Amino acid sequence: MSDTLDAPTGSRTRSAHGVGHAVVEEFVPRALVIVPTYNERENLPTLIMAILGQGEAFHVLVVDDASPDGTGDIADQIAAAEPRVTVLHRNRKEGLGPAYIAGLLLGLSGGFDYMVMMDADLSHDAADLPRLLAATHDHGADIALGSRWAKGGGTEGWPLLRRVLSRAGSQYARVILGLSLRDVTGGFRCLRRSALMALDVTSIRSSGYAFLIELNYRAALQGLTIVEVPIVFTERVMGTSKMSGRIVLEAVLRVPVIRATTRRALARAAVVR
Ligand SMILES: Nc1nc2c(ncn2[C@@H]2O[C@H](COP(=O)(O)OP(=O)(O)O)[C@@H](O)[C@H]2O)c(=O)[nH]1
Ligand SMILES: [Mg+2]
């Protein structure tokens, strides 16, 4: 860690509305945008600046798995100059799931009100952050899920085959797990602090896309309100995807395991709502 994450929970500012009458307390939330990175040196600086530009509410935590291309050093340089940016360095590449678990736990211990999960490769648009935060903070959802398959959402730069495979993957997980979400494998979401605690992420064993699917299943079992916010996902231009046949296979094989084991894992963690 290049810095500590001891942000106070939100901040209350007093502001007068009207002419010399009621003084209203306004709650300004703090959201930690967690960005897992593995070899994202070309993308990370642009992404961080775009996130910080969305407003004072947004802080960034980069979770780097010792990227050989020096992404971690670049993140440290930005963090040294920018108080709203922090870096968690991990020793080796362990996959998306473990990186997110470490980041989400840091967000909880740092007192953040909202945690956002976001890819580093500019596929997720930082300009969508205020809408995701508003869906939770202003409109009461427990989780706002950036959705490619909700009305108004979509993908840019994906050939037909990739679109078909992604939708088929979502459909497969939806049917086996009984989920009503349209985009089950999306990686862009904002979670309310209390919702994140109910998910007990430390007991999640899935790693790649399966990790994202399991988060949705846990949320459904816990009766959390998930709102799908339409987003356009743009295929990365720089760097390379870490998606592999192995990660896809893990997701396919793990979905039935998720169905068989998750209820018990939540009960054991005693966070069943
Ligand atoms: N820390 C960490 N980040 C990872 C790992 N695998 C993927 N990522 C990051 O997770 C995000 C999504 O991965 P990406 O390769 O773009 O997957 P795709 O969008 O499905 O092709 C990117 O920010 C990656 O750098 C990993 O093992 N560790
Ligand atoms: Mg990507």
Side-chain angles (χ1 to χ4, degrees):
M1 295 275 296
S2 63
D3 200 354
T4 52
L5 267 179
D6 50 354
T9 302
S11 59
R12 288 176 197 284
T13 54
R14 289 165 74 82
S15 58
H17 291 289
V19 193
H21 289 300
V23 175
V24 180
E25 293 229 324
E26 226 173 88
F27 181 63
V28 181
R30 282 172 175 262
L32 183 65
V33 182
I34 301 162
V35 181
T37 54
Y38 192 76
N39 289 349
E40 301 286 3
R41 61 174 298 146
E42 302 96 334
N43 296 314
L44 191 64
T46 312
L47 177 75
I48 292 179
M49 292 312 147
I51 295 171
L52 296 177
Q54 298 306 316
E56 288 293 317
F58 297 102
H59 297 240
V60 181
L61 170 63
V62 177
V63 184
D64 185 66
D65 279 5
S67 295
D69 77 345
T71 300
D73 297 335
I74 292 171
D76 280 341
Q77 283 165 24
I78 299 172
E82 176 48 69
R84 282 189 283 147
V85 178
T86 310
V87 189
L88 171 62
H89 294 280
R90 289 158 48 83
N91 293 335
R92 60 190 147 92
K93 180 165 171 26
E94 281 189 306
L96 195 65
Y100 263 132
I101 292 171
L104 290 165
L105 294 178
L106 269 184
L108 284 178
S109 61
F112 285 89
D113 309 295
Y114 297 91
M115 266 44 84
V116 178
M117 295 165 51
M118 186 174 190
D119 288 354
D121 57 358
L122 306 174
S123 285
H124 298 152
D125 187 352
D128 291 333
L129 286 167
R131 279 193 306 135
L132 289 175
L133 183 59
T136 49
H137 183 64
D138 300 335
H139 304 297
D142 290 314
I143 298 174
L145 179 64
S147 177
R148 293 160 292 186
W149 313 130
K151 194 168 186 294
T155 56
E156 241 167 54
W158 270 17
L160 180 66
L161 181 65
R162 180 112 194 245
R163 289 204 302 274
V164 169
L165 283 178
S166 176
R167 293 191 83 136
S170 264
Q171 187 60 19
Y172 166 75
R174 267 170 59 117
V175 169
I176 301 223
L177 299 175
L179 297 171
S180 54
L181 298 171
R182 274 167 285 205
D183 191 345
V184 183
T185 58
F188 196 16
R189 52 167 73 61
C190 176
L191 305 108
R192 182 182 290 280
R193 179 184 178 83
S194 58
L196 176 58
M197 288 167 77
L199 298 181
D200 185 46
V201 289
T202 43
S203 63
I204 299 184
R205 299 287 168 263
S206 309
S207 184
Y209 292 130
F211 173 79
L212 303 171
I213 297 170
E214 183 162 348
L215 279 184
N216 289 328
Y217 187 51
R218 287 180 174 229
L221 287 182
Q222 294 290 52
L224 300 176
T225 317
I226 309 178
V227 169
E228 286 188 87
V229 174
I231 58 149
V232 174
F233 177 104
T234 308
E235 184 50 24
R236 68 158 77 230
V237 176
M238 285 186 283
T240 50
S241 168
K242 281 95 224 171
M243 186 188 72
S244 63
R246 204 174 129 251
I247 291 175
V248 173
L249 188 67
E250 183 219 8
V252 172
L253 297 178
R254 240 197 114 74
V255 166
V257 179
I258 289 171
R259 182 183 147 142
T261 59
T262 302
R263 211 177 286 270
R264 190 179 301 169
L266 287 174
R268 214 180 279 133
V271 291
V272 177
R273 282 156 50 105

